[in-house]
Amino acid sequence: MLILASGSPRRQELLHLITSDFSVFTSEVDERAITAPTAKELVQKLAQAKAAAVAATHPDAVVIGCDTVVDLDGEVLGKPADKDEARSMMQRLSGRKHFVHTGVCLISNGKEDCFVESSEVCFAALSEQEIEDYIATDEPYDKAGGYGIQGKAAKFCTGILGCYFNIMGLPVSALYRHLRIFGR
């Protein structure tokens, strides 16, 4: 049995690119209680905690835990709480490069395999009106960094170095290779 320890519809959609044979069980991990000195270490610890929480009740399954953050000059940009925070994030990302890191942890029968995939994203310089129009949509509020590359923010992206699917929240190719370790 393969379990995705995430309620994210985007991750479920992306995992379907690898297999349709999986279940979804979300973890009850308090993400605010987990800290780390770097964004990469943070996403790995979060992914590991989520996978471990679900694996504790499904020890024979292969459990996939994930977490994604936007890293702007070493500062983690999570999901914006409101329009002001979304506006601030978009202003800071405007005309800049940033990284998107996704931590992934696979756990089954006590065996654990964790990795972090990173992608670099370049944004065009955005006008205040573009920012206001974007934050008036529902898109920014459930996404790390306050934007969805697969949605209306696609028009702001001038370049990507790395995995596009990683920016959406699940590095499909890397996960496919790591699942082989577990015979999946």
Side-chain angles (χ1 to χ4, degrees):
M1 172 188 242
L2 182 64
I3 296 175
L4 178 62
S6 171
S8 164
R10 288 172 301 283
R11 286 198 181 107
Q12 293 171 39
E13 175 187 339
L14 294 174
L15 186 53
H16 274 287
L17 296 174
I18 298 172
T19 181
S20 294
D21 186 20
F22 68 92
S23 299
V24 174
F25 292 94
T26 57
S27 69
E28 299 301 321
V29 171
D30 179 6
E31 296 182 33
R32 295 166 297 172
I34 298 173
T35 60
T38 69
K40 284 184 174 184
E41 290 173 279
L42 178 63
V43 291
Q44 184 169 341
K45 286 174 75 172
L46 287 165
Q48 188 174 26
K50 292 174 182 182
V54 173
T57 57
H58 299 86
D60 294 331
V62 176
V63 178
I64 305 167
C66 307
D67 199 79
T68 302
V69 298
V70 169
D71 174 354
L72 180 63
D73 299 329
E75 181 184 348
V76 172
L77 302 182
K79 297 174 185 176
D82 54 32
K83 277 190 175 186
D84 288 338
E85 195 171 6
R87 179 182 299 109
S88 174
M89 286 181 184
M90 295 305 290
Q91 289 169 337
R92 294 177 64 208
L93 294 171
S94 175
R96 310 252 336 260
K97 293 180 183 179
H98 61 275
F99 290 92
V100 177
H101 307 295
T102 299
V104 179
C105 185
L106 303 159
I107 297 178
S108 181
N109 291 312
K111 183 176 181 181
E112 188 175 295
D113 178 37
C114 298
F115 65 95
V116 175
E117 185 79 12
S118 298
S119 302
E120 185 179 66
V121 180
C122 301
F123 262 27
L126 307 177
S127 71
E128 288 302 316
Q129 189 61 54
E130 287 173 312
I131 292 171
E132 291 304 315
D133 290 346
Y134 185 67
I135 66 170
T137 70
D138 291 336
E139 265 191 23
Y141 304 101
D142 70 337
K143 294 168 185 70
Y147 74 90
I149 194 79
Q150 73 280 9
K152 292 175 177 48
K155 62 186 172 252
F156 306 143
C157 180
T158 61
I160 295 170
L161 182 59
C163 176
Y164 169 77
F165 298 112
N166 181 57
I167 301 163
M168 289 177 62
L170 192 71
V172 174
S173 180
L175 176 58
Y176 175 72
R177 290 189 313 274
H178 283 263
L179 279 168
R180 290 179 176 175
I181 296 167
F182 292 90
R184 302 291 305 184

